Amino acid sequence: MEPGGQRSIVVVLGGAPPHAEVASRLPAGAVVVAADGGLDHARALGLRPAVLVGDLDSVSSEGLAWARTAGIEIEEHPGDKDSTDAELAVDAALHRGADHLVVVGGGDRVDHDLAGLLLLTRPAERARVEAWWGTAHIGVLRGPGDLTFEGEAGELVSLLAIHGAAGDVTTRGLRFGLTGERLHPGSSRGVSNECLGGPVSVALVSGDLFVIRPLALGATP
């Protein structure tokens, strides 16, 4: 348990390998849950998962053998299932009391990417949710709520409404400020804004919003 009683859990997904710098951005002491092949990615980042979840069709044979020898808890599911390994891993994190959820992923299939990213909004009812996706950092904001971060001058930030309109969106510290605006899914109104340098805040009254810093870890993986 972290100071203030917060319990952070990191979920590492399979797919493309995550950016090498991600490990330095994760909360210290967090429990790690690996989704199938995410076990191999977690180990490459120097992380030791507490739990391996999935149908175990993408984790390497060496990684699976290590998990069994190391006494890692394994939640094996059948191949024919109604949920992706990512969803099962997020559920496992919530079941273990996460109130700060950090998902680490990397895209190699657009359908997996969309499913994984849209999945992030579901646990936002119960936990603070963020993700590292390739070079991008994604904050999940559910109204009423707010999010703050330090932005470098000129750094790109995109605000994308999902599932429905995001109401009364207000920003500070961005080149193109928003004051009580309504953003709609599919609209490019919030795409490619820029940080002025220093604190940035994004707040909304209703709806769900992705706050995306697409190059938070640089231009290339």
Side-chain angles (χ1 to χ4, degrees):
M1 194 73 70
E2 297 174 48
Q6 179 173 266
R7 182 172 176 80
S8 294
I9 297 185
V10 174
V11 173
V12 183
L13 306 183
H19 196 290
E21 291 186 18
V22 164
S24 65
R25 309 297 182 96
L26 301 177
V31 173
V32 178
V33 176
D36 210 330
L39 176 81
D40 296 309
H41 297 333
R43 294 182 68 202
L45 291 172
L47 305 175
R48 179 186 173 91
V51 188
L52 170 62
V53 181
D55 56 18
L56 310 184
D57 68 340
S58 60
V59 63
S60 68
S61 56
E62 188 274 334
L64 183 56
W66 172 85
R68 287 175 170 152
T69 301
I72 304 302
E73 181 181 350
I74 299 176
E75 293 184 7
E76 184 173 0
H77 294 261
D80 294 330
K81 57 188 187 302
D82 295 329
S83 301
T84 63
D85 292 332
E87 185 171 6
L88 293 171
V90 167
D91 286 343
L94 295 175
H95 178 71
R96 286 162 174 78
D99 49 25
H100 176 207
L101 182 65
V102 184
V103 177
V104 176
D108 60 0
R109 274 181 52 177
V110 66
D111 53 341
H112 282 180
D113 281 0
L114 287 173
L117 292 171
L118 292 174
L119 169 65
L120 297 176
T121 59
R122 187 169 59 82
E125 295 180 353
R126 300 166 54 183
R128 179 165 65 92
V129 182
E130 59 180 305
W132 291 98
W133 208 270
T135 62
H137 179 269
I138 304 167
V140 182
L141 187 55
R142 169 159 288 179
D146 61 88
L147 180 154
T148 61
F149 62 91
E150 289 290 324
E152 296 184 8
E155 181 182 359
L156 293 176
V157 179
S158 290
L159 308 179
L160 298 181
I162 46 178
H163 301 317
D168 292 320
V169 179
T170 298
T171 67
R172 297 286 184 272
L174 296 180
R175 179 181 176 191
F176 306 105
L178 303 178
T179 303
E181 296 202 32
R182 192 171 183 84
L183 297 181
H184 295 273
S187 168
S188 60
R189 176 74 177 88
V191 174
S192 294
N193 211 322
E194 295 179 12
C195 297
L196 295 176
V200 175
S201 67
V202 181
L204 80 166
V205 173
S206 62
D208 294 322
L209 195 68
F210 280 160
V211 179
I212 303 174
R213 298 160 64 194
L215 302 176
L217 293 177
T220 57

